[in-house]
Amino acid sequence: DEYDHFANELLSFDFDNFANVVAKNGFVRKFYETIKTATAEGVVDRIFITGVSPITLDSLTSGFNISRNLTRQITLNEMMGFTEQEVRNLISLMCVKSESEVNQLISDLKNWYNGYLFNSDAPNRVFNSDMILYFLNEYQKFQCLKYPQIIIDTNIASDYGKIQRLFAIQNNTFHFEIIQQLAINKQLIYPLTEMFSFEREFTREDFVSLLFYMGYLTIESQLGDAYVFCVPNYVIQKLFYDFFFQWIKKQSDNDFKSVDVKAVVRNLAYFNDVKPFITLVESTLKGLSNRDYIKFDEKYLKILFFTFLNLTDVYYVKSEPEINKKYPDLIAVSNPPYQPPFQYVFELKYLAKKDAKKLSKTKQAAKQQLTNYLLSPELQFLMTKNMQTMQSVKAYYIVAVGDEFKSVEE
């Protein structure tokens, strides 16, 4: 069980030691050679190995070429996760709910914990079973009347903290670029590495594949000989943005020690105090603009908004959701069990300093776009729903010129 645990730990902390133990004369290969010999002699009848990543398989093949990798077999797609029907069954064992209440609960659980697919032809995506059991255990403590305030098991959160160390594998520089791609495009298209070998260069393809095996990415669809990878759910998305925030703190000249970022977001949510939030983003923009290798445009501005809004659990943040075939840049809506009195729609525009003369025209375009969005049936429904729950939707269009916000209008 967890045959790769030691390898993942070494890979995170001590790459040189990892390379030594899986090398030709390392103890790991010798161990598996011994099992193979015992199998041939009839001492060992059958071997079933579980793990997360095929991290040592390539190094072992010459000494253990009697195995088959079953990881992505379609018949095993649902082996380690829960289907929707299984989650519904668990809920029915816990409490009596109306059909509409169960459907709403399932919708929220899908958003937080669902989305995993291990074979592109598999009919069902599966929920993360550990996260579902954590949530339902906490939910039961409240007699199924309210959601737990923390939606991710702290043990899982600390385990996923390894992602920050994985980004340092062989000191490659493209890891952050991949995170940027995910933040901006929400997808990555790469072939899948079936077995890892650290006797050759560790490529982008390898890194994306490692994120897939570790559960940070999943298969969206197949594209020829490659896969479209995506972030499976909101919990994992928040982990990515937590990492992104740590990167921002390192790269920016902004003194985050003097600013409680989460408090700034809470003030936005509960007191409609927009100015400190705007000041936070603008000061970060100024700090990052000194880095020659960062070429800012509207996408990066959106990433900063998205990252800061995601640092608390108060909001569920949607980036360019489809609203009546139109796409507002960001929508921050209440994230159960929280019911902040203020929710937000942001339309963001960015101009390079050389295009500052276009400010007036850009402001008008942003205002018109936002007006159109607010008239859409989806946002009209949100605003009507909010009136019933004593919540307000606040809409802002914001135009940045270089590293300064020249227009912040409600």
Side-chain angles (χ1 to χ4, degrees):
D1 185 31
E2 292 190 81
Y3 86 99
D4 60 334
H5 178 74
F6 83 95
N8 292 326
E9 289 291 307
L10 285 177
L11 194 59
S12 299
F13 294 101
D14 189 346
F15 179 80
D16 290 337
N17 195 13
F18 169 82
N20 288 332
V21 299
V22 299
K24 187 172 183 178
N25 295 315
F27 73 83
V28 173
R29 182 173 295 198
K30 294 297 182 185
F31 172 75
Y32 281 100
E33 286 176 355
T34 303
I35 295 178
K36 179 182 175 182
T37 301
T39 304
E41 294 173 350
V43 177
V44 173
D45 180 63
R46 183 177 295 273
I47 304 156
F48 185 74
I49 301 174
T50 69
V52 175
S53 55
I55 208 75
T56 59
L57 294 185
D58 187 70
S59 303
L60 301 176
T61 48
S62 62
F64 194 66
N65 56 0
I66 58 173
S67 64
R68 287 188 300 137
N69 185 354
L70 307 177
T71 302
R72 297 196 305 110
Q73 283 201 4
I74 189 169
T75 53
L76 300 180
N77 182 68
E78 298 170 12
M79 180 180 179
M80 293 298 182
F82 291 160
T83 64
E84 179 178 330
Q85 187 56 54
E86 288 170 333
V87 175
R88 287 180 179 272
N89 291 344
L90 285 169
I91 294 170
S92 69
L93 291 172
M94 286 173 48
C95 52
V96 177
K97 293 277 186 183
S98 69
E99 184 178 354
S100 62
E101 289 175 320
V102 172
N103 288 341
Q104 181 59 56
L105 177 56
I106 289 291
S107 176
D108 291 333
L109 294 178
K110 279 184 177 180
N111 175 41
W112 292 330
Y113 311 125
N114 193 26
Y116 295 93
L117 196 70
F118 307 107
N119 184 295
S120 57
D121 293 322
N124 298 315
R125 294 183 179 274
V126 293
F127 291 82
N128 182 307
S129 51
D130 180 276
M131 293 181 186
I132 285 289
L133 292 174
Y134 161 78
F135 175 91
L136 293 180
N137 183 55
E138 295 298 309
Y139 190 48
Q140 195 171 34
K141 292 177 183 177
F142 295 103
Q143 288 77 49
C144 302
L145 296 176
K146 61 181 290 189
Y147 291 176
Q149 290 196 342
I150 300 173
I151 63 170
I152 182 171
D153 185 350
T154 53
N155 292 325
I156 292 293
S158 61
D159 189 53
Y160 277 125
K162 294 173 186 174
I163 191 173
Q164 297 187 30
R165 296 187 292 273
L166 288 172
F167 288 148
I169 294 172
Q170 293 189 348
N171 297 315
N172 281 319
T173 59
F174 55 70
H175 299 153
F176 176 68
E177 295 172 17
I178 286 173
I179 299 305
Q180 283 181 307
Q181 281 182 267
L182 281 171
I184 295 169
N185 302 319
K186 308 185 190 73
Q187 294 180 338
L188 295 168
I189 301 175
Y190 284 94
L192 182 67
T193 300
E194 298 288 349
M195 292 188 295
F196 294 101
S197 172
F198 290 94
E199 295 174 3
R200 56 176 173 78
E201 181 184 4
F202 189 75
T203 64
R204 290 171 185 264
E205 177 182 317
D206 293 336
F207 183 64
V208 171
S209 297
L210 184 58
L211 292 177
F212 164 73
Y213 289 117
M214 298 292 285
Y216 304 117
L217 296 178
T218 195
I219 294 172
E220 177 69 27
S221 60
Q222 190 163 357
L223 191 65
D225 64 341
Y227 290 93
V228 180
F229 293 101
C230 64
V231 178
N233 51 52
Y234 190 65
V235 166
I236 301 300
Q237 178 179 282
K238 281 183 65 64
L239 293 172
F240 272 114
Y241 277 97
D242 286 343
F243 170 78
F244 197 87
F245 177 63
Q246 298 304 320
W247 181 87
I248 288 173
K249 287 203 297 186
K250 288 181 181 178
Q251 300 299 329
S252 174
D253 292 333
N254 197 2
D255 182 14
F256 286 98
K257 292 180 181 178
S258 63
V259 180
D260 185 342
V261 178
K262 291 185 178 181
V264 169
V265 177
R266 282 193 293 269
N267 285 340
L268 183 75
Y270 289 95
F271 304 105
N272 190 29
D273 192 359
V274 175
K275 187 175 180 180
F277 182 75
I278 296 298
T279 300
L280 170 67
V281 179
E282 185 178 36
S283 61
T284 305
L285 195 66
K286 290 179 181 292
L288 290 173
S289 67
N290 295 326
R291 310 291 174 177
D292 294 336
Y293 56 88
I294 297 178
K295 309 297 182 188
F296 268 105
D297 58 21
E298 189 176 301
K299 294 190 292 289
Y300 289 92
L301 187 61
K302 188 189 305 180
I303 288 174
L304 291 179
F305 270 77
F306 202 94
T307 300
F308 291 135
L309 288 169
N310 265 302
L311 290 180
T312 75
D313 291 325
V314 172
Y315 283 130
Y316 171 53
V317 188
K318 302 180 181 180
S319 176
E320 289 193 1
E322 182 175 347
I323 302 293
N324 198 26
K325 304 302 180 184
K326 295 177 171 47
Y327 302 87
D329 285 317
L330 289 172
I331 297 179
V333 296
S334 57
N335 191 28
Y338 302 100
Q339 293 281 329
F342 299 100
Q343 300 178 79
Y344 291 88
V345 181
F346 292 107
E347 181 62 23
L348 308 174
K349 298 295 181 186
Y350 182 87
L351 294 171
K353 289 183 179 180
K354 61 183 179 62
D355 296 322
K357 59 186 178 184
K358 299 178 182 178
L359 176 60
S360 178
K361 186 176 180 180
T362 303
K363 283 171 57 178
Q364 288 301 316
K367 181 178 181 180
Q368 187 58 54
Q369 281 181 277
L370 194 53
T371 301
N372 292 338
Y373 298 147
L374 293 174
L375 293 174
S376 69
E378 289 85 349
L379 278 181
Q380 285 289 310
F381 172 77
L382 176 63
M383 288 186 282
T384 302
K385 181 181 177 183
N386 280 7
M387 283 189 289
Q388 296 169 350
T389 58
M390 303 300 289
Q391 292 175 297
S392 297
V393 175
K394 297 292 183 178
Y396 285 86
Y397 58 96
I398 299 167
V399 182
V401 179
D403 57 9
E404 293 184 72
F405 287 157
K406 293 295 187 181
S407 177
V408 179
E409 307 280 348
E410 183 178 355

